[in-house]
Amino acid sequence: MYDQELKQARIEITQFGLLTALAISGGATQKRLSGGFAMDSTTLSRTLDRMQKRGWISAKQGTDKREHIFELTASGKRQIAKAQPHWRRAESRLRNQLGESGWKDMQQVVSFLTKGATRA
């Protein structure tokens, strides 16, 4: 459902999540992003590389020469704005299908699974 909606904005769900995280945090290392998204390093590297090539994010050297800090660019901010209505539409559809009780249950399960995955 989310993928179908976000496809209209030419963005994948993972990319939307990463852009949103960078918008909120102001910038983050790959390690920090990996932990927050419970994503393996190789997949995250490929995704960040594609996002850089599209001009949505930039990378600058961190305190360690091997570390990069990823930040949102103006183009990335525009991409979020373009994708947000699609995200909201998918969320509204899912919420309607699940009902309020189902929606709350789903949020609890997702939170539980995310916490478990980040600890693994």
Side-chain angles (χ1 to χ4, degrees):
M1 184 176 302
Y2 284 87
D3 284 330
Q4 290 171 336
E5 283 291 340
L6 290 173
K7 194 176 197 178
Q8 296 175 49
R10 299 179 186 256
I11 189 170
E12 297 170 7
I13 193 167
T14 311
Q15 295 169 330
F16 181 76
L18 289 166
L19 289 178
T20 302
L22 290 173
I24 292 167
S25 69
T29 63
Q30 183 169 339
K31 183 177 182 179
R32 185 171 169 205
L33 290 169
S34 178
F37 280 84
M39 187 183 303
D40 70 89
S41 182
T42 303
T43 302
L44 181 57
S45 291
R46 278 193 302 248
T47 303
L48 292 170
D49 185 53
R50 282 194 307 261
M51 292 168 65
Q52 271 187 285
K53 287 178 181 172
R54 290 182 176 172
W56 296 346
I57 61 172
S58 62
K60 66 180 182 182
Q61 188 173 325
T63 54
D64 181 326
K65 288 184 180 184
R66 297 167 293 173
E67 180 182 74
H68 291 92
I69 299 171
F70 295 93
E71 296 178 327
L72 198 59
T73 63
S75 178
K77 290 175 187 176
R78 287 190 299 273
Q79 186 60 34
I80 289 174
K82 180 180 174 184
Q84 280 178 331
H86 298 284
W87 178 269
R88 284 192 291 269
R89 195 167 22 255
E91 191 169 81
S92 177
R93 286 175 44 206
L94 181 59
R95 196 174 194 144
N96 287 337
Q97 286 179 0
L98 295 176
E100 281 307 308
S101 175
W103 176 255
K104 287 178 183 174
D105 290 347
M106 188 263 322
Q107 286 181 311
Q108 288 177 342
V109 169
V110 169
S111 177
F112 175 78
L113 291 173
T114 302
K115 286 176 186 173
T118 57
R119 285 188 214 124

